């Protein structure tokens, strides 16, 4: 091993890391000198990414082993806090740490703010970085609309904005075209020339890239195979290139099946055409994605499709598979045009997308079985076919594992198995080898060649690897929707008089680019001076407050705000949704019971009994239905819900009354809805008494024993439901909607991967959560204002108390409800689960346990406990107090204090439960 | 032709099995489903107290006679908390703070006036912001006062009021609230789960990119949609059925009057409608957050205005009419007739027909949307 300068950037001792069943790192000891560019090479799933994430501190260490990074222990929290701003991390995956709805400028501003630069400094840094990476002309473009190569450059800019001492890049060029890749590495070289003291660690699957690094670490199965300079490794293995050297380094067992790829000559009938495209064109609005592309592919041919990111390769494939209709031109499979019913065509087609369309919730065998059945393989043959595939694609060991636990190379084999299980005659493969290691790629190609030459399957494949392109019978070079050239690889190299296919390709691209934009190139050449002088930020880093920095909080707030504003549909839905719900609930929830249907069973038929029935029918509460005949009739008509009440007047009702006796009137009430039955009981009682009194007065009887009961309904004298309901609906709505918005905001970052920014930047959990929460608090307050305005204007419910006090309380309450969402988000990982959890945790308590309809103190047990502490209860008291009772702060002290106290409790809980490192 | 048909059925079956396996491997969802159909139902059903319980009452007794004392004593638990005796000036502050829902005021010479055959005045102050309790409680207090007075008058030789009223509450003799709330809670959870499960399953498949892959296979969009519907509907049907039998009938002891088989048939029709609705919402929403808000916007009115929480006939006529096209309204009406009133097919066929019709329209429309969204 060469000693570079004695200082170590990373030093690991006996480091072990396990996932459930898999050991990702197996007792690793490693010293990485500082100030060099180090390459980490090895097959997929051997622990490269795990090692890098441990080094950056984004993943928490497990119990065994020690890890020193930049001179401190990564177990030590304060060291992690200190060292975090000095490490920059670009995780695997195109733009995983970027925010796609934000522009290039906004992404950079966000990261620059996190690291505490002031406005002028930020401007200077952003301008310099983007000028030198060629992103400057695209500052206003949303990150999601950048090509793959540009996304990676932006990721790099974001990583470099704070002059890190250690730059960690995890497969930064996977899925990036050769031209963009070359530009990317030139950029890294320039940066290193500027800042020689910076250490760079790169994981890569491209061996030609590894050649550029000063020092290599080769890994396999969680262990380190060897370390050294590329030259040392080549000498040691006696191979000419690193691809071969790496294969040589693998243990005998892994290497055994591997041999150099040979492509037997194609024996094809020129007239037997499988795939044919003629002037195929696709336009999206004014943008032409594919521009008059034509080709003819013979049966059994391997046809390669090469081109820069976003040049229309995938669109072409989607048209060939029938997923997208062509705007112009025609594609034919086996001479049949792809249009209308493509069912027969699809049966002969195998398709494998970049994403490996596997179901992660099904095991390998279950996935294969599902595809076999969906392709219509007879049930009797399914089992044997699946087993044959498992054997052929060497999936025996993993047949009962879930794909998400598998390394990329194996996933890809499984995907191919699923795509060919029905013996298709055409196989369409969209970048099937992106991010896959050399050994796995070679064995994949063996399968492809076997399918082509032995089974005569026509193969249409896109790739970024030049050594793969060389294995194709013919390749088509695509750029900006046009096919530039189409020939066999050897012919193409010869035509352009280039040394390799890659340089032929790049020269072809550059020529096309120049022809297209006469003058301004979209990705201009890098300027020489790259980075701002580092001394300024050193002083910043020293001052960094580890607990709470307003600027970092503001950065988070500002970013979330932008993102929220970019999804106007969500905002509109949330805002008008709340208003709509208020109308619905305000008018809908009513305790007033009217228009009740009733009927009489009159066994007397006297004048008095008639009069009794008329008295009921005359009130606005009841509607009389045809009289009932007998008890069976009562039973039938109450059972089918026709009658809510039946009044039975006994025989001789009139006579008994006249004699001064007390006849018994029977009343049947439909008790299926208890609250309504209760109301009916009350009504009939009152009407009965009224009728008796009227009777006595008419007959001149003495009216003694009587009392005049005056009921005064306070705060709501007309006893309308609306004035009591509307002030209560506001807190209920302001609980549910803000909670779900805030919860999804956090969990969405978890699903999309940008949560990594919390793990690897100096951002603290509290800053992160408050920053995410604040935009939703503001938004909820806006919606609170609308709700209050609507209560007054539309529902005519006046605010009797102080409006400012109401608004202050609502603001506090919005903090509570969004905090609730953050709390729910801290314990869930998937968006579905968090939606479900938040709805369960808000709808039931807010509508039923908090006094909306029944006061909390009438409940018992768990319901009472929840009701007592649930914040909606307190806001309900305040809201009704101010709206209906004109109360002031001294009357509302208790609920107000509860509200104020709940905020820190909820936010603290949410912060503590949220993780700062992955585990 | 027959072959095509059987292959189609096979596709639908196995795609559905895939959905079930996926759900089975998501422990968080399993826990939440289990919770919502056990503890969720129980807490929700028990939350609503029986009509009037623990009403807080205060009495201003300026008469301090035997009669007013007897009236005071007749406000008893569980309906009322023990009455607080307060002075007139305390009324306002006590009611403002929500200490008392009711304050009854007896004037001086109250007993004397009764005996003299005059008509003294009793005042009942009600905190009308307390909704349900205020309205039913006021009625109870009036009845109690009148009864006590007439008993008192009778004892003192004043003729009794004539004609007695005897009330019988059918289907739920004691008006036990939890009998009612259990079914309401069950229906709410059924609606919520059915829509979330199907809607989210579709959006997730779209976000993961597997949906696009399915479209390259020899499958029809119809098969993809139906597979999700049957799988999710089955999950909800099974858990809801078990919940009705075990949690509601067995543990909570709520009697169910009608045929269980008929209930499950109606539930299946309801699920057909709401799972189709879930697919429809997923076709409109572009991402999960949008689906989340849409869910609230659709679910809440459907539940609150279904006639489940408050009676349908007390809503404005327009809302009543509009809500007839909501599957939840039909299903609530179906369940109430069946579970509470023991109605049979002769009564509920109308709701079942309506559910089927609404389901068919929703299904057909969702299918159109779905076909368009994947093309």
């Amino acid at each position: 091993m060469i000693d570079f300068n004695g200082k170590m950037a990373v030093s690991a001792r006996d480091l072990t890391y396990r996932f459930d069943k898999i050991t990702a790192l197996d007792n690793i000891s490693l010293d990485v000198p500082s100030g060099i560019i180090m390459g980490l090479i090895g097959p997929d799933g051997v622990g490269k990414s795990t090692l890098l994430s441990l080094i950056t501190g984004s993943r928490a260490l497990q119990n065994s082993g020690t890890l020193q990074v930049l001179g401190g222990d990564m177990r030590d929290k304060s060291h992690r806090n200190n060292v975090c701003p000095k490490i920059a991390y670009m995780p695997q995956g195109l733009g995983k740490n970027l925010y796609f709805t934000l522009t290039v400028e906004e992404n950079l501003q966000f990261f620059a703010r996190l690291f505490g630069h002031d406005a002028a400094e930020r401007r200077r840094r952003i301008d310099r970085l983007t000028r030198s990476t060629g992103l400057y002309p695209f500052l206003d473009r949303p990150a999601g609309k950048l090509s793959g190569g540009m996304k990676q450059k932006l990721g790099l800019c974001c990583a470099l904005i704070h002059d890190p001492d250690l730059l960690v890049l995890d497969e930064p060029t996977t899925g990036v075209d050769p031209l963009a890749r070359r530009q990317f590495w030139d950029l890294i070289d320039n940066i290193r020339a500027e800042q020689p003291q910076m250490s760079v660690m790169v994981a890569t699957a491209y061996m030609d890239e590894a050649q550029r690094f000063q020092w290599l670490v080769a890994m396999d199965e969680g262990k380190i195979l060897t370390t050294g300079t590329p030259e040392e490794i080549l000498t040691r293995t006696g191979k000419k290139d690193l691809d071969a050297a790496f294969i040589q380094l693998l243990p005998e067992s892994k290497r055994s099946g591997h041999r150099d790829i040979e492509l037997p000559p194609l024996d094809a009938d020129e007239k037997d055409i499988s795939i044919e495209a003629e002037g195929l064109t696709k336009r999206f609005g004014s943008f032409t994605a594919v521009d008059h592309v034509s080709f003819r592919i013979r049966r059994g041919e391997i046809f390669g499709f090469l081109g820069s990111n976003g040049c229309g390769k995938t669109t072409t494939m989607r048209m060939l598979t029938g997923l997208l209709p062509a705007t112009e031109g025609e594609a034919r499979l086996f001479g049949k045009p792809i249009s209308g019913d493509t069912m027969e065509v699809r049966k002969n087609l195998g398709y494998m997308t970049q994403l490996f369309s596997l179901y992660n919730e099904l095991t390998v065998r279950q996935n294969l079985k599902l595809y076999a059945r969906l392709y219509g393989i007879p049930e009797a043959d399914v089992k044997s076919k699946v087993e044959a595939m498992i054997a052929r694609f060497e999936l025996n060991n993993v047949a009962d594992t879930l794909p998400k636990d598998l390394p990329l190379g194996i996933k890809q084999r499984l995907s191919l198995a699923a795509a060919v299980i029905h013996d298709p005659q055409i196989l369409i493969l969209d970048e099937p080898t992106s991010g896959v290691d050399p050994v796995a790629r070679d064995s994949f190609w063996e399968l492809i060649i076997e399918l082509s030459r032995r089974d005569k399957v026509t193969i249409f494949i896109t790739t970024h690897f030049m050594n793969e392109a060389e294995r194709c019978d013919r390749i088509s070079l695509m750029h900006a929707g046009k096919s530039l050239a189409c020939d066999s690889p050897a012919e193409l190299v010869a035509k352009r008089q280039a040394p390799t296919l890659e340089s032929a390709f790049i020269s072809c691209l550059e020529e096309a680019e120049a022809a297209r934009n006469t003058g301004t190139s979209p990705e201009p050449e890098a300027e020489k001076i790259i980075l701002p002088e580092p001394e300024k930020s050193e002083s910043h880093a020293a001052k960094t407050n580890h607990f709470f920095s307003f600027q970092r909080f503001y950065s988070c707030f500002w970013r979330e705000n932008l993102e929220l504003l970019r999804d106007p549909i969500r905002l509109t839905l949330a805002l008008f949704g709340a208003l709509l719900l208020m109308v619905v609930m305000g008018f809908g929830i009513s305790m007033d019971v009217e228009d009740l249907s009733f009927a009489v069973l009159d066994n007397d038929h006297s004048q008095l009994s008639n009069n009794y029935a008329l008295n009921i029918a005359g009130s606005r509460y009841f509607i009389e239905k045809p009289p009932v005949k007998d008890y069976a009739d009562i039973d039938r008509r109450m059972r089918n819900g026709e009658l809510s009440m039946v009044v039975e007047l006994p025989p001789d009702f009139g006579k008994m009354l006249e004699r001064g006796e007390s006849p018994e009137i029977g009343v049947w009430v439909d008790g299926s809805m208890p609250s309504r039955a209760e109301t009916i009981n009350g009504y009939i009682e009152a009407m009965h008494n009224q009728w008796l009194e009227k009777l006595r007065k008419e007959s001149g009887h003495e009216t003694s024993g009587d009392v005049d009961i005056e009921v005064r309904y306070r705060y709501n004298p007309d006893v309308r439901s609306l004035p009591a309901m509307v002030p209560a609906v506001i807190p209920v709505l302001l609980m549910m909607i803000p909670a779900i918005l805030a919860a999804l905001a956090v969990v969405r970052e978890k699903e999309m991967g940008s949560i990594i920014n919390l793990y690897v930047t100096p951002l603290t959990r509290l800053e992160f959560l408050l920053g995410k929460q604040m935009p939703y608090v503001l938004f909820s307050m806006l919606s609170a204002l609308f709700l209050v305005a609507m209560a007054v204007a539309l529902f005519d419910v006046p605010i009797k108390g102080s409006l400012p006090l109401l608004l202050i309380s609502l603001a506090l309450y919005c903090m509570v409800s969004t905090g609730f969402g953050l709390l729910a988000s801290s314990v869930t990982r998937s968006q579905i689960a968090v939606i479900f959890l938040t709805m369960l945790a808000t709808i039931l308590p807010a509508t039923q346990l908090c006094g909306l309809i029944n006061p909390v103190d009438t409940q018992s047990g768990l319901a009472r406990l929840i009701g007592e502490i649930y914040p909606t209860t307190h806001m309900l008291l305040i809201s009704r107090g101010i709206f209906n009772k004109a109360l002031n702060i001294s009357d509302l002290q208790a609920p107000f204090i509860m509200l104020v106290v709940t905020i820190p409790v909820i936010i603290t809980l949410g912060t503590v439960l949220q993780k700062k490192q992955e585990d | 032709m027959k072959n095509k048909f059987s292959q189609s059925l096979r596709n639908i079956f196995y795609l559905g099995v895939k959905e079930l396996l996926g759900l089975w491997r998501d422990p968080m969802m399993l826990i939440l489903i289990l919770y919502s159909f056990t503890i969720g139902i129980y807490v929700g059903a028990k939350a609503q107290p029986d009509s009037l319980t623990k009403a807080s009452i205060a009495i201003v007794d300026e008469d301090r006679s035997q009669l007013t004392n007897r009236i005071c004593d007749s406000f008893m638990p569980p309906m009322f908390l023990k009455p607080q005796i307060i002075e007139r000036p305390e009324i306002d502050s006590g009611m403002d703070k929500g200490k008392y829902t009711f304050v009854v005021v007896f004037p001086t010479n109250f007993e004397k006036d009764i005996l003299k055959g005059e008509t003294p005045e009793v005042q009942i102050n009600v905190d009308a912001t307390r909704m349900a309790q205020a309205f039913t409680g006021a009625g109870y207090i009036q009845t109690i006062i009148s009864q006590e007075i007439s008993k008192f008058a009778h004892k003192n030789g004043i003729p009794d009021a004539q004609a007695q009223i005897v009330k019988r509450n059918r289907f739920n003799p004691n008006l036990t609230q939890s009998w009612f709330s259990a079914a309401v809670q069950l229906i709410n959870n059924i609606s919520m789960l059915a829509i979330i499960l199907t809607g989210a399953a579709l959006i997730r498949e779209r976000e993961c990119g597997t949906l696009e892959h399915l479209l390259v296979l020899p499958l029809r969009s119809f098969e993809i949609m139906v597979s999700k519907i049957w799988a999710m509907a089955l999950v909800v049907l099974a858990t809801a059925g078990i919940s009705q039998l075990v949690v509601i009938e067995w543990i909570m002891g709520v009697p169910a009057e009608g045929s269980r088989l008929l209930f499950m048939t109606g539930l299946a029709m309801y699920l057909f409608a709401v799972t189709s609705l879930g697919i429809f919402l997923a076709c409109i929403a572009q991402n999960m957050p949008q689906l989340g808000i849409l869910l609230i916007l659709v679910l809440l009115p459907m539940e609150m205005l279904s006639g489940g929480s408050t009676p349908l006939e007390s809503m404005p006529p327009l809302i009543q009419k509009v809500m007839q096209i909501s599957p939840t309204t039909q299903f609530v009406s179906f369940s109430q007739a069946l579970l509470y009133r023991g109605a049979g097919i002769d009564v509920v066929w109308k709701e079942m027909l309506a559910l089927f019709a609404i389901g068919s329209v929703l299904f057909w429309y969702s299918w159109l949307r779905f076909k368009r969204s994947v093309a």
Side-chain angles (χ1 to χ4, degrees), chain A residues 318 351 359 361 375 377 592 635 639 665 667 669 676 678 685 692 710 712 714 719 836 854, chain B residues 10 25 48 51 92 122 124 126 135 140 162 166-168 170 193 205 212-213 313-314 341:
Chain A
R318 288 167 61 90
Y351 180 47
Y359 286 103
E361 59 268 25
Y375 275 120
I377 292 172
D592 315 335
D635 190 66
R639 220 170 259 289
I665 303 169
V667 174
V669 177
R676 192 178 63 159
E678 206 72 65
E685 185 98 34
L692 285 180
E710 183 207 359
R712 289 174 54 198
R714 302 181 61 140
V719 206
F836 197 15
N854 286 293
Chain B
R10 197 163 154 231
R25 293 221 163 91
Q48 302 273 339
S51 60
D92 283 352
V122 180
I124 308 175
V126 183
F135 303 136
Y140 271 101
Q162 303 150 306
V166 181
K167 288 175 289 186
R168 299 177 196 84
R170 297 209 46 180
L193 203 63
E205 191 142 12
E212 182 182 304
H213 197 225
E313 60 261 25
S314 54
R341 298 196 295 264

Side-chain angles (χ1 to χ4, degrees), chain A residues 318 323 343 346-347 351 357-359 361-362 366 370-371 373-377 379 382 567 569-570 577 581 584-585 587-592 594 596 635 638-641 663-674 676-678 681 685 688 692 704-716 719 724-725 736 741 744 748 828 831-833 836 839-840 844 848-849 852-855 857-859 862 880 884-885 887, chain B residues 7 10-11 14 18 21-22 25 28-29 32 35 43 47-49 51 53-54 91-92 95-96 118-133 135-136 138 140 142-143 149 158 162-172 175-177 180 185 192-193 196 200 205 207 210 212-220 286-290 293 297 299-301 304-305 307-308 310 313-316 340-342 347:
Chain A
R318 288 167 61 90
L323 279 173
M343 211 52 128
R346 280 189 260 164
K347 278 186 185 157
Y351 180 47
S357 316
L358 301 169
Y359 286 103
E361 59 268 25
L362 303 184
Q366 285 167 338
L370 176 67
Y371 282 113
R373 283 167 175 143
L374 295 182
Y375 275 120
I377 292 172
E379 198 57 40
V382 166
D567 191 356
I569 299 182
R570 195 185 341 166
L581 285 180
V584 163
M585 290 169 81
F587 285 120
I589 308 177
S590 167
M591 293 291 127
D592 315 335
E594 285 174 26
L596 294 158
D635 190 66
M638 287 194 86
R639 220 170 259 289
N640 69 22
E664 271 191 2
I665 303 169
V667 174
W668 276 267
V669 177
D670 177 357
S672 58
M673 198 175 215
R676 192 178 63 159
E678 206 72 65
N681 282 334
E685 185 98 34
H688 175 77
L692 285 180
S704 48
D706 240 1
V707 60
D708 195 0
I709 300 178
E710 183 207 359
V711 182
R712 289 174 54 198
Y713 286 99
R714 302 181 61 140
Y715 316 118
N716 181 7
V719 206
M725 221 42 233
M736 294 185 295
L741 284 174
L744 277 167
R748 205 167 165 71
T828 40
Q831 296 188 72
I832 306 180
F836 197 15
M839 285 181 113
L840 280 179
L844 173 75
Q848 302 196 34
L849 306 182
L852 179 69
I853 291 168
N854 286 293
D857 46 23
T858 63
Q859 295 159 6
L862 186 60
R880 278 183 175 152
N884 304 126
K885 301 186 180 176
L887 300 188
Chain B
Q7 176 61 30
R10 197 163 154 231
N11 290 342
Y14 284 108
K18 180 215 67 161
L21 277 169
R25 293 221 163 91
M28 188 68 178
M29 283 306 280
L32 288 174
Y35 165 84
V43 172
Q48 302 273 339
S51 60
T53 30
K54 299 191 201 163
I91 300 177
D92 283 352
M95 291 197 79
D96 282 351
E118 281 169 26
T119 310
E121 193 172 271
V122 180
Q123 194 189 73
I124 308 175
N125 292 286
V126 183
D127 182 347
T129 62
R130 300 211 124 178
M131 298 297 291
Q133 205 181 40
F135 303 136
T136 41
Y140 271 101
Q142 287 181 63
T143 312
I149 290 173
I158 297 168
Q162 303 150 306
Q164 297 298 312
I165 193 164
V166 181
K167 288 175 289 186
R168 299 177 196 84
N169 294 309
R170 297 209 46 180
F171 313 122
N172 184 354
L175 299 185
T176 310
Q177 181 68 35
F180 173 76
Q185 211 55 50
M192 176 159 78
L193 203 63
I196 292 185
E205 191 142 12
E207 285 189 347
T210 46
E212 182 182 304
H213 197 225
L214 286 182
L215 297 171
V216 182
L217 304 185
L219 289 177
R220 287 164 217 281
Q286 287 163 3
N287 49 38
M288 280 288 186
Q290 288 183 9
I293 300 166
L297 286 189
L299 262 178
L300 218 59
M304 306 231 61
L305 302 183
T310 61
E313 60 261 25
S314 54
M315 292 169 203
Y340 305 144
R341 298 196 295 264
V347 171

Side-chain angles (χ1 to χ4, degrees), chain B residues 225-337:
Chain B
M225 181 172 143
V226 173
S227 69
K228 291 200 188 313
I229 287 182
W230 83 252
M232 296 315 179
L234 183 72
V235 171
V236 182
L237 187 70
T239 39
I242 294 169
S243 177
Q244 167 69 23
L245 289 181
V246 177
V247 180
I248 297 182
E249 292 185 28
W250 188 49
I251 297 180
M252 297 179 59
V254 177
E257 303 245 340
S259 147
R260 294 195 183 105
L261 189 67
L262 190 59
F263 177 68
M264 294 305 269
T265 316
L267 175 55
M269 285 176 165
Y270 177 59
L271 286 172
F272 169 60
V274 276
T275 47
S276 301
L277 182 61
I279 299 271
F280 175 65
L281 294 181
C283 290
I284 300 178
Q286 287 163 3
N287 49 38
M288 280 288 186
Q290 288 183 9
L291 180 73
I293 300 166
L294 267 179
L295 279 174
I296 295 191
L297 286 189
V298 171
L299 262 178
L300 218 59
M302 265 174 49
E303 287 179 4
M304 306 231 61
L305 302 183
S306 63
S309 19
T310 61
L312 203 60
E313 60 261 25
S314 54
M315 292 169 203
L318 180 69
I319 290 190
Q320 287 186 40
K321 286 218 179 68
V322 172
M323 287 318 287
Q324 288 304 316
I325 58 169
S326 153
T328 315
T329 310
Q330 297 293 343
F331 187 61
V332 162
S333 154
F334 165 85
S335 312
Q336 286 179 345

Side-chain angles (χ1 to χ4, degrees), chain A residues 822-833:
Chain A
L822 299 183
L823 186 57
S825 74
S826 64
V827 293
T828 40
R829 283 178 190 198
S830 74
Q831 296 188 72
I832 306 180

Side-chain angles (χ1 to χ4, degrees), chain A residues 319-332:
Chain A
M319 285 193 282
L320 288 181
T321 52
L323 279 173
L324 265 183
T327 317
E328 239 178 72
E330 195 177 58
R332 284 187 289 270

Side-chain angles (χ1 to χ4, degrees), chain A residues 623-903:
Chain A
I623 295 173
E624 187 169 11
K625 298 275 157 154
V628 281
K629 296 189 277 293
D630 48 30
Y631 287 118
D633 200 30
I634 295 183
D635 190 66
R636 189 179 64 77
R637 289 170 68 185
M638 287 194 86
R639 220 170 259 289
N640 69 22
E642 189 198 327
L643 299 175
S644 300
M645 180 180 80
V646 173
V647 177
E648 184 198 1
L649 298 162
D652 299 331
F653 172 74
K655 279 184 197 147
M656 282 169 85
L657 270 181
E658 276 159 12
R659 286 202 297 261
E661 288 169 31
S662 299
E664 271 191 2
I665 303 169
V667 174
W668 276 267
V669 177
D670 177 357
S672 58
M673 198 175 215
S675 60
R676 192 178 63 159
E678 206 72 65
T679 316
I680 298 176
N681 282 334
Y683 287 159
I684 189 70
E685 185 98 34
M687 279 195 286
H688 175 77
N689 289 333
Q690 265 175 17
W691 185 76
L692 285 180
E693 197 178 324
K694 209 171 75 188
L695 188 72
R696 278 193 299 255
K697 275 186 185 145
E698 279 166 8
S699 62
H701 270 289
E702 202 180 340
T703 57
S704 48
D706 240 1
V707 60
D708 195 0
I709 300 178
E710 183 207 359
V711 182
R712 289 174 54 198
Y713 286 99
R714 302 181 61 140
Y715 316 118
N716 181 7
D718 309 331
V719 206
R720 290 187 304 143
S721 285
L722 221 49
M725 221 42 233
V726 167
V729 167
I730 296 175
V732 171
L733 290 179
L734 287 179
M735 173 51 76
M736 294 185 295
I737 295 175
I740 217 157
L741 284 174
L744 277 167
V746 176
V747 178
R748 205 167 165 71
E749 285 215 35
K750 286 190 187 175
E751 261 192 25
M752 300 291 174
S754 51
I755 189 86
I756 193 104
N757 293 329
L758 168 64
Y759 301 153
V760 299
T761 63
L763 197 59
T764 66
R765 289 175 288 184
L766 187 65
E767 291 154 4
F768 172 74
L769 288 180
L770 288 182
K772 293 222 95 160
Q773 183 186 14
M774 246 356 107
Y776 295 100
V777 173
L778 292 179
F779 171 75
S780 312
M781 281 171 64
L782 181 70
S783 107
L785 271 179
F786 272 98
L787 289 174
V788 171
M790 199 157 103
V792 177
L794 181 70
F795 289 101
D796 216 6
V797 178
I799 304 171
K800 294 181 184 159
S802 137
L803 178 65
L805 184 62
L806 180 67
L807 293 181
I808 292 169
S809 319
L810 283 173
L812 292 172
Y813 182 68
C814 289
M815 297 190 71
V816 174
S817 56
T818 47
F820 228 80
L822 299 183
L823 186 57
S825 74
S826 64
V827 293
T828 40
R829 283 178 190 198
S830 74
Q831 296 188 72
I832 306 180
V834 87
I835 288 183
F836 197 15
L837 177 65
T838 318
M839 285 181 113
L840 280 179
T842 55
I843 292 190
L844 173 75
T847 56
Q848 302 196 34
L849 306 182
C850 290
L852 179 69
I853 291 168
N854 286 293
V856 175
D857 46 23
T858 63
Q859 295 159 6
S860 53
L862 186 60
R864 170 79 182 264
L865 184 72
I866 296 173
E868 291 281 357
I869 56 173
Y870 206 84
T872 306
T873 308
H874 312 297
M875 191 60 222
L876 263 171
L877 288 176
I878 297 176
S879 178
R880 278 183 175 152
I882 295 175
F883 262 104
N884 304 126
K885 301 186 180 176
L887 300 188
N888 54 36
I889 183 76
S890 61
D891 303 308
L892 292 170
Q893 234 169 25
F896 197 79
I897 288 172
M898 277 302 284
L899 218 52
V900 173
V901 170
T902 315
I903 297 172

